[in-house]
Amino acid sequence: MVAISKEDIKKAAELSKINVDGEDIDAIYPNLNYLISLIDEECSFDNNSKTEYITLDYLREDNISRSFDKNDILKNSDKIKHGCFTVSKMME
Amino acid sequence: MKELYKCKGFELASLLKKKEVSSKEILQSFINQIEKKEKFLSSYITLDLENALKKAEELDIKRIKGEDLSFLAGIPVAVKDNISTKGLLTTCGSKMLCNYIPVYDAFAVKCLKESEMIILGKTNMDEFAMGSTGENSYFGVTKNPRDIKKVAGGSSSGSAAAILSGEAPFSLGTDTGGSIRLPASYCGIVGLKPTYGAVSRNGLIPFASGYDVIGPMGRCVKDVSLLSQIIYKYDNKDMTCKNFNFDFSNLENYSLKGKKIAVIKELFNSNIISSDVLEKVNKALKIIENMGGIIEEISLPEIKDALWVYYIISSAQASSNLSKYDGIRFGFHPDEDSDIEKIRTNAFGTEVKRRIILGTYILSSSQYEKYYQRAVNMQNQLIEKLDKIFDKFDFIITPTSPRTAHEISEKVNNKNIYDEDICTVFASVTGIPSISLPCGVDSSDMPVGIEISSKKFSDHILLKMANALEKEIGFDNDIV
């Protein structure tokens, strides 16, 4: 059963910033198609009822506290310049 | 005296308290076992043995000086690799975070450190906790210590394998759709998924924030209860954490007489569960009846709906939670020319990519109402339905998994792998506590798990029930 097309997957992948060209699509497609078809098959639930969202009746107060050490945080990126993360070039 | 790594956690704590052994001796016994077993099992991604030895020596001095220490002070513990540990590599089983070192401890880790437990290292897991077999880790497959040709279960694969192989007496796992209970069942140990909101998620690297929970794993219910005492604490940094007073102090003398137990006929009377598993779980139900429990069959056809609800909501949350991994702020950045798409394509494994794409598809404007909205509504109905069941019943019992551990690679990229979660996801989507304990072995000598669930925030009562049942079942889960 075809529940989702490969084109739909490619579109969703592009939105997810993941490339699924070539072999990747063959690895991803069958399971993804199965999951969607499982959902379509079992999901016969009547959707007329209203969604109830949880409302929080409590929130902690904002407290100013010492932040983490900047140098420790920066250690987690390979590319550092002038004490900042270096962001990859997005476009020419 | 038996070798220390063969002792259960509570036995080690008693020996320490009586000063019959030192913390360093206990630790050394587990280190020896790690050196012996690790090359076959891959239970750990990172070991922190030097610091562990230092800490053990410090604690031995404290004990000699007569300082007041907690019951589990000086006892080793392993921590799943998606729980942040300050200064210690935390990879989530992913290439994406292969060099990520957190700058803070997760709240649960803080609790372990405050109790002066000794962290041995970080355990292997399915990448970003997505998987039920332990085969999706960038750092290799965790093998089942009972049979290294078989999977250990996932996603907390290393946390379960380390317990059963004597590589750790206690461990922390995380459970989103069954990730503590499934490996506990496959390995024949005990694993508790706490009520959502009972244990702080602060510092847990998220997969699906609405379901993720940190929970204890051990060889017996008593060990799991001892670890629960340490991590069940209120934390105002997790807005879903509730300040609830759990009493784990007295596990004993719990009577099952008159307790009402529901079994779901849609699971028991179907071909979903293997005959081997059914036989052992039915045997355990007989034991419960002999203990005075009242077993009643109920109809909950929605249990099958829990599976698609889980996959819709968890994938949607995953696609959102994992969008931050761009190779700039976190770890993996292969070269100057790599853009975000190249990095994400290269650094995420197949299962993670699959779920991110599914989540993005489900949340797209054309599909949102059809899938996500419907799943949220169905989830609310499931919660209402279970509330009503728990008005009449004390516990719900199911098998933990439809089948026992299978051979490694047997089900890789097998689409039916998602059905393995059928027994565990209903507790995840409704937020109730759920425990897996071993109740026998199948014809190939692999353990079968029985899953007991109860109403929200009754985790301490659930443990009492499980402890009573465990004693009657008398399952032998000696270190292998």
Side-chain angles (χ1 to χ4, degrees):
Chain A
M1 183 184 159
V2 178
I4 182 170
S5 69
K6 287 189 179 179
E7 285 313 306
D8 283 338
I9 290 182
K10 280 183 183 172
K11 197 175 160 192
E14 199 184 329
L15 288 169
S16 314
K17 297 210 177 297
I18 290 171
N19 186 346
V20 291
D21 282 341
E23 284 174 15
D24 262 359
I25 190 93
D26 294 327
I28 283 172
Y29 179 75
N31 288 38
L32 209 54
N33 187 54
Y34 173 76
L35 270 177
I36 299 276
S37 62
L38 177 89
I39 294 164
D40 286 343
E41 219 172 276
E42 300 285 345
C43 187
S44 53
F45 169 69
D46 171 23
N47 199 31
N48 290 329
S49 60
K50 205 180 145 217
T51 308
E52 282 176 33
Y53 293 100
I54 299 163
T55 43
L56 288 172
D57 52 1
Y58 62 95
L59 286 171
R60 69 182 160 87
E61 279 180 32
D62 279 337
N63 291 318
I64 299 167
S65 60
R66 208 181 142 265
S67 184
F68 300 118
D69 187 86
K70 189 179 170 187
N71 291 329
D72 281 346
I73 296 169
L74 288 173
K75 275 183 205 162
N76 277 303
S77 180
D78 296 339
K79 315 283 174 197
I80 312 287
K81 224 178 204 174
H82 310 306
C84 297
F85 294 128
T86 307
V87 180
S88 298
K89 199 184 281 180
M90 296 293 290
M91 56 182 81
E92 291 300 325
Chain B
M1 189 164 57
K2 63 180 170 186
E3 286 177 85
L4 292 171
Y5 74 85
K6 288 184 177 170
C7 294
K8 288 179 179 160
F10 74 88
E11 291 170 335
L12 292 171
S14 298
L15 289 171
L16 256 183
K17 203 173 177 192
K18 284 188 262 174
K19 295 183 179 167
E20 287 180 22
V21 292
S22 69
S23 190
K24 198 177 170 185
E25 283 170 319
I26 291 175
L27 182 65
Q28 195 57 55
S29 179
F30 283 95
I31 292 175
N32 293 345
Q33 191 68 356
I34 288 169
E35 283 168 356
K36 206 164 113 191
K37 294 273 183 172
E38 196 46 23
K39 53 184 175 280
F40 305 109
L41 298 176
S42 301
S43 306
Y44 286 93
I45 291 174
T46 305
L47 287 161
D48 194 23
L49 302 181
E50 211 173 294
N51 281 327
L53 276 165
K54 218 162 98 185
K55 182 80 190 158
E57 280 167 7
E58 278 171 25
L59 279 162
D60 284 336
I61 292 167
K62 280 188 182 179
R63 208 174 288 275
I64 290 165
K65 281 184 183 167
E67 283 187 31
D68 194 19
L69 298 170
S70 83
F71 187 61
L72 292 184
I75 303 290
V77 59
V79 178
K80 188 175 175 181
D81 210 24
N82 58 349
I83 303 172
S84 300
T85 41
K86 187 178 179 181
L88 187 60
L89 199 63
T90 299
T91 70
C92 256
S94 180
K95 187 177 181 180
M96 181 59 90
L97 290 177
C98 64
N99 53 9
Y100 171 58
I101 298 174
V103 292
Y104 69 104
D105 278 325
F107 183 78
V109 171
K110 259 188 208 163
C111 293
L112 298 179
K113 287 184 178 174
E114 276 166 16
S115 295
E116 305 208 76
M117 290 191 81
I118 298 173
I119 294 173
L120 280 163
K122 307 298 293 290
T123 54
N124 205 352
M125 56 180 284
D126 283 303
E127 186 179 4
F128 283 101
M130 296 178 197
S132 52
T133 65
E135 292 169 290
N136 295 337
S137 170
Y138 174 65
F139 300 91
V141 181
T142 313
K143 282 91 175 177
N144 194 313
R146 279 182 188 271
D147 179 352
I148 57 166
K149 293 192 295 303
K150 292 190 171 163
V151 297
S155 63
S156 308
S157 51
S159 295
I163 298 280
L164 184 63
S165 59
E167 291 183 305
F170 292 96
S171 64
L172 285 186
T174 67
D175 194 311
T176 304
S179 286
I180 284 177
R181 292 160 287 161
L182 287 169
S185 172
Y186 282 13
C187 289
I189 63 155
V190 181
L192 170 69
K193 179 201 99 72
T195 301
Y196 182 80
V199 176
S200 171
R201 288 176 298 113
N202 174 20
L204 163 61
I205 297 175
F207 154 23
S209 319
Y211 301 149
D212 294 339
V213 281
I214 296 175
M217 300 171 87
R219 262 172 69 205
C220 59
V221 176
K222 196 170 178 179
D223 281 0
V224 164
S225 175
L226 283 170
L227 200 51
S228 300
Q229 257 176 310
I230 290 174
I231 61 168
Y232 274 68
K233 287 188 182 120
Y234 174 66
D235 172 24
N236 71 357
K237 285 185 179 162
D238 173 1
M239 70 174 185
T240 58
C241 192
K242 285 215 171 157
N243 197 355
F244 193 90
N245 195 15
F246 293 98
D247 179 14
F248 296 108
S249 60
N250 186 14
L251 207 57
E252 307 299 328
N253 305 322
Y254 183 77
S255 172
L256 272 175
K257 201 171 175 192
K259 296 287 182 295
K260 290 187 79 181
I261 289 120
V263 295
I264 300 165
K265 74 172 181 192
E266 283 77 9
L267 277 182
F268 280 78
N269 302 341
S270 71
N271 56 2
I272 300 169
I273 315 293
S274 78
S275 55
D276 256 1
V277 170
L278 259 188
E279 187 200 320
K280 298 300 167 200
V281 175
N282 280 328
K283 208 171 153 191
L285 289 174
K286 276 270 173 280
I287 292 172
I288 292 170
E289 259 181 344
N290 292 339
M291 292 167 79
I294 303 159
I295 312 279
E296 213 173 288
E297 198 174 71
I298 58 157
S299 174
L300 185 65
E302 294 89 347
I303 191 143
K304 288 176 187 166
D305 294 308
L307 196 62
W308 62 260
V309 168
Y310 169 74
Y311 275 102
I312 288 176
I313 295 179
S314 68
S315 300
Q317 292 185 359
S319 82
S320 168
N321 277 327
L322 272 65
S323 63
K324 63 175 172 263
Y325 298 109
D326 50 16
I328 296 165
R329 288 163 295 176
F330 294 106
F332 187 72
H333 193 124
D335 54 60
E336 203 62 55
D337 294 331
S338 289
D339 61 16
I340 292 173
E341 191 177 282
K342 266 192 204 163
I343 289 166
R344 284 169 66 82
T345 304
N346 190 324
F348 285 136
T350 304
E351 187 58 34
V352 173
K353 285 191 259 192
R354 200 177 274 145
R355 298 207 199 187
I356 290 173
I357 293 168
L358 176 64
T360 307
Y361 176 71
I362 280 163
L363 291 176
S364 62
S365 56
S366 58
Q367 307 298 331
Y368 178 80
E369 272 188 37
K370 184 180 172 189
Y371 294 115
Y372 192 78
Q373 187 77 58
R374 192 173 280 188
V376 171
N377 285 343
M378 186 68 216
Q379 176 171 269
N380 288 340
Q381 287 214 356
L382 266 165
I383 291 169
E384 274 175 33
K385 189 104 190 203
L386 277 189
D387 281 347
K388 280 181 191 154
I389 290 171
F390 285 124
D391 283 342
K392 289 184 192 158
F393 292 91
D394 298 287
F395 306 102
I396 295 176
I397 286 188
T398 66
T400 308
S401 169
R403 277 160 287 276
T404 55
H406 56 79
E407 302 251 323
I408 291 166
S409 300
E410 191 186 323
K411 293 186 179 176
V412 169
N413 286 334
N414 182 333
K415 50 198 185 188
N416 296 330
I417 193 74
Y418 304 110
D419 300 343
E420 298 294 306
D421 303 338
I422 185 100
C423 303
T424 49
V425 286
F426 82 97
S428 303
V429 300
T430 56
I432 59 172
S434 189
I435 190 167
S436 175
L437 61 147
C439 66
V441 290
D442 70 359
S443 50
S444 56
D445 212 28
M446 295 308 285
V448 173
I450 184 168
E451 183 183 58
I452 314 166
S453 306
S454 61
K455 67 179 174 188
K456 278 185 191 174
F457 296 99
S458 68
D459 307 38
H460 49 310
I461 297 166
L462 181 64
L463 281 168
K464 287 180 185 191
M465 191 290 191
N467 185 52
L469 179 60
E470 181 186 59
K471 281 183 181 161
E472 291 300 314
I473 291 173
F475 182 79
D476 172 18
N477 65 354
D478 277 350
I479 298 299
V480 290

